[in-house]
């Protein structure tokens, strides 16, 4: 794990229960800027009662896989695994590879290292992607969380090629690829056989409470994951909403633009405040300041939740135009 | 797997997509009597938008564990695992035990044997509970699906005692215990350390689309399952509905009575039709008839879905008063 949390910080973003413990006297509800979740959620369609009262129909699940394949660029529905969130896929994915050496390109989201260790791997945290060439399981978050680092498709394909010599597998977590570079996804390359792409529904569509995530992989790997997840892995409400949202290309496009514009606005405010932006995506920014802990405390006391990391003087704030304004006004 | 499905039957109950393929000319919507799901669902509360737009809060999850512990009779919230359905817990539970011999008291729900095999166990299907005394993982569904067979708590505790000599674990799937004998649950005995109890939310509360299930186990086993499931295993809507439903003891009691009365009504109709009832619970009945396939076809053509099993002349029908009436009228 890379970014261990401070005793006085948050282990994961979005944990308002922890925030309430840390800042019991803050005005509530909190303004939560501690996650990379889109603050402009996809408008919830009205849900028929039978999405709750019936087991999810196999036909609806197949339809969802087809739509996900089209939207994410996977070759076919047989390359798609639907899960109740990508989180639950991490240990299952790591267990597809017999226990060996797992390498995670860090610093990044800490759950990858935890999941690989759970699956019995010896986990190394590397800074250079070339160090991943000989591992059994290589994990790259692209764009990266929290710094937004982007690895080109060419480098990832070269890595997948090198890994294949030793039977290694490359997992690319594209949780933030909707706001990443166009054409940056590896989804169209999963036919190579040793590439697994993770896509998160909740972050970009702003509906993480639904719990929905996808793995895209060659049909044999996808079938193994589906076998473990079993016949009704995804809830009726998640299927009903995602069927509509994933096919709504107009909303997706408008939201990319809207988030990019909000990120630009935040960058201007941060520049005015002379805060150095190290990176990010249109869903979050990573900034460097030696006053990270102080700012974390100051904002928290005012009811605004961001994340601070122990090992470096960093502060991670979710994009939200009002944040900038709040920062300026206070 | 015990009850292999006919080519012309259903692998699982509730699969209307398969039913549509089998009976393309049947009047729709189907009357689905192929599952053990309560046809009188818990009334859905209105759901706040933030159950969808936020990651499930850790405090809400702890609250749900506390309520589940009280309602199911587990010693404390640390003994409770919340999952997106019990289905997904089956391979994770089987993987808690190092690969060895798993024994399933059959005939029963086929997914247990499949999950144990996935976790690397050699699976034996036994008819006598005493044959489970020396396995590494023993699985008992209680009350059993599909015949309603009930194993007393005393016999299960004796089995757990015998298993503990060899480090074996007893998993008891109590998916239908809400309509089982009072005091029949093993939840209060999980402190013994080698007992895992599974409880299903969706079946009794009639909301399987939500995907919610529980494992009750000693804190060390519960912690391992929770580690694999990760921090946001259960959806916001599932938490919100279950917090209310599991604490609604008046509804639970009234529903037990209502289902028992409906089951009695169905039994009278089946007796009039001279169909032999082999067993069941208040949520389903198992009947024996040499005309099982014919009846399955006849009902299916009329838009009524039940289940038929290949290896024996059995027909499984969900309790619903209108079924009986339909049967009589046609």
């Amino acid at each position: 794990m890379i970014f261990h949390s401070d005793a006085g910080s948050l282990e994961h973003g979005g944990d308002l229960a922890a925030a309430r413990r840390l800042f019991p006297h803050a005005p509530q509800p909190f303004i939560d800027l501690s996650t990379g979740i889109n603050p402009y959620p996809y408008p919830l369609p009205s849900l028929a009662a039978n999405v709750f009262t019936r087991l999810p129909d196999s036909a609806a699940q197949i339809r969802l896989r087809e739509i996900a394949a089209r939207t994410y660029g996977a070759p076919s529905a047989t390359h798609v695994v639907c899960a109740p969130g990508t989180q639950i896929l991490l240990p299952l994915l790591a267990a597809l590879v017999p226990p060996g050496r797992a390498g995670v390109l860090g610093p990044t989201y800490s759950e990858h290292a935890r999941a690989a260790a759970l699956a019995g791997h010896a986990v190394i945290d590397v800074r250079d992607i070339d160090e991943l060439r000989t591992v059994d399981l290589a994990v790259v978050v692209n764009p990266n969380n929290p710094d937004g680092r982007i690895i080109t498709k060419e480098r990832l394909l070269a890595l997948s090629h090198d890994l294949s010599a030793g039977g290694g597998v490359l997992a690319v977590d594209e949780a933030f690829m909707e706001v990443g570079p166009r054409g940056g996804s590896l989804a169209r390359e999963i036919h190579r056989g040793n590439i697994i792409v993770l896509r998160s529904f909740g972050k970009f569509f702003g509906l993480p409470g639904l719990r929905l995530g996808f793995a895209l992989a060659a049909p044999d790997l996808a079938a193994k994951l589906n076998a473990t997840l079993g016949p009704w892995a995804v809830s009726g409400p998640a299927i009903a909403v995602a069927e509509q949202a994933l096919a709504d290309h107009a909303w997706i496009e408008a939201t990319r633009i809207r988030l990019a514009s909000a990120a630009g606005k935040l960058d201007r405010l941060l520049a005015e405040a002379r805060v150095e932006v190290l990176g990010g995506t249109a869903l979050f920014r990573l900034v460097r300041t030696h006053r990270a802990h102080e700012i974390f405390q100051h904002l928290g006391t005012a009811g605004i939740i961001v994340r601070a990391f122990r090992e470096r003087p960093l502060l991670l704030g979710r994009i939200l135009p009002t944040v900038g304004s709040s920062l300026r006004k206070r």
Side-chain angles (χ1 to χ4, degrees), chain A:
Chain A
M1 286 196 272
I2 310 310
F3 291 130
H4 294 282
S5 301
D6 247 330
S9 187
L10 300 172
E11 189 185 343
H12 287 293
D15 191 348
L16 293 193
R20 279 189 291 271
R21 283 192 300 274
L22 286 174
F23 305 109
H25 306 300
Q28 296 205 20
F30 284 108
I31 297 173
D32 179 18
L33 311 180
S34 66
T35 73
I37 293 162
N38 181 358
Y40 315 117
Y42 187 78
L44 272 180
S46 71
L47 295 169
N50 69 8
V51 307
F52 297 95
T53 59
R54 290 197 46 81
L55 275 169
D57 193 312
S58 63
Q61 295 177 68
I62 290 167
R63 223 157 44 227
L64 177 58
R65 283 183 203 160
E66 282 165 357
I67 293 167
R70 274 198 296 279
T71 297
Y72 294 135
S76 82
T78 61
H79 293 74
V80 178
V81 177
C82 309
T86 43
Q87 177 69 39
I88 211 166
L89 285 168
L90 306 185
L92 305 185
L93 180 163
L96 290 177
V97 179
R101 283 170 70 238
V104 180
L105 185 61
T108 192
Y109 182 53
S110 62
E111 290 286 326
H112 284 289
R114 190 180 73 81
L118 266 180
H121 296 287
V123 184
I124 54 167
D125 165 39
V126 307
R127 290 293 173 274
D128 182 346
I129 191 169
D130 285 335
E131 294 177 60
L132 296 177
R133 292 166 59 188
T134 57
V135 298
D136 301 296
L137 171 66
V139 181
V140 176
V141 182
N142 195 40
N144 193 40
N145 169 6
D147 62 6
R149 175 194 58 211
I150 286 161
I151 309 288
T152 64
K153 204 192 258 189
E154 291 65 36
R155 278 197 92 176
L156 289 170
L157 290 178
L159 174 59
S160 130
H161 177 80
D162 291 345
L163 285 165
S164 66
V169 168
L170 170 62
V172 185
D173 180 353
E174 298 186 352
F176 294 103
M177 191 50 92
E178 281 91 346
V179 291
R182 282 186 199 273
S185 171
L186 230 56
R188 290 187 198 285
E189 308 297 334
I190 54 178
H191 63 272
R192 291 167 191 249
N194 73 334
I195 298 174
I196 303 173
V197 170
L198 292 173
R199 300 293 299 236
S200 161
F201 178 82
K203 294 184 182 69
F204 179 72
F205 289 94
L207 298 169
L210 270 183
R211 307 314 297 136
L212 179 62
F214 299 89
L216 314 174
D220 61 325
L221 294 177
K224 281 183 194 169
L225 289 172
N226 277 324
T228 303
L229 291 168
W232 309 285
V234 172
S235 73
I239 294 176
V241 174
E243 264 196 279
Q244 199 168 314
L246 284 173
D248 192 343
H249 299 287
W251 186 90
I252 291 171
E253 199 45 46
T255 300
R256 276 177 66 104
I257 294 167
R258 184 178 190 185
L259 290 170
S261 149
K265 208 181 276 185
L266 181 60
D267 283 344
R268 288 191 293 279
L269 290 164
L270 291 168
E272 282 174 28
R274 297 180 188 279
V275 173
E276 181 191 359
V277 174
L278 289 186
T281 71
L283 282 167
F284 56 86
R285 280 294 188 266
L286 181 70
V287 304
R288 186 202 307 272
T289 162
H290 290 286
R291 295 162 53 225
H293 188 71
E294 185 191 323
I295 294 178
F296 175 79
Q297 289 290 333
H298 176 76
L299 291 174
T301 307
I304 300 170
I305 305 302
V306 295
R307 293 187 72 198
F309 297 107
R310 181 161 54 184
E311 297 182 6
R312 302 131 202 264
L314 300 175
L315 182 73
L316 173 66
R318 189 177 75 171
I319 295 304
L320 194 66
T322 52
V323 192
S325 324
S326 313
L327 277 172
R328 198 157 46 173
K329 278 183 209 143
R330 280 158 206 257

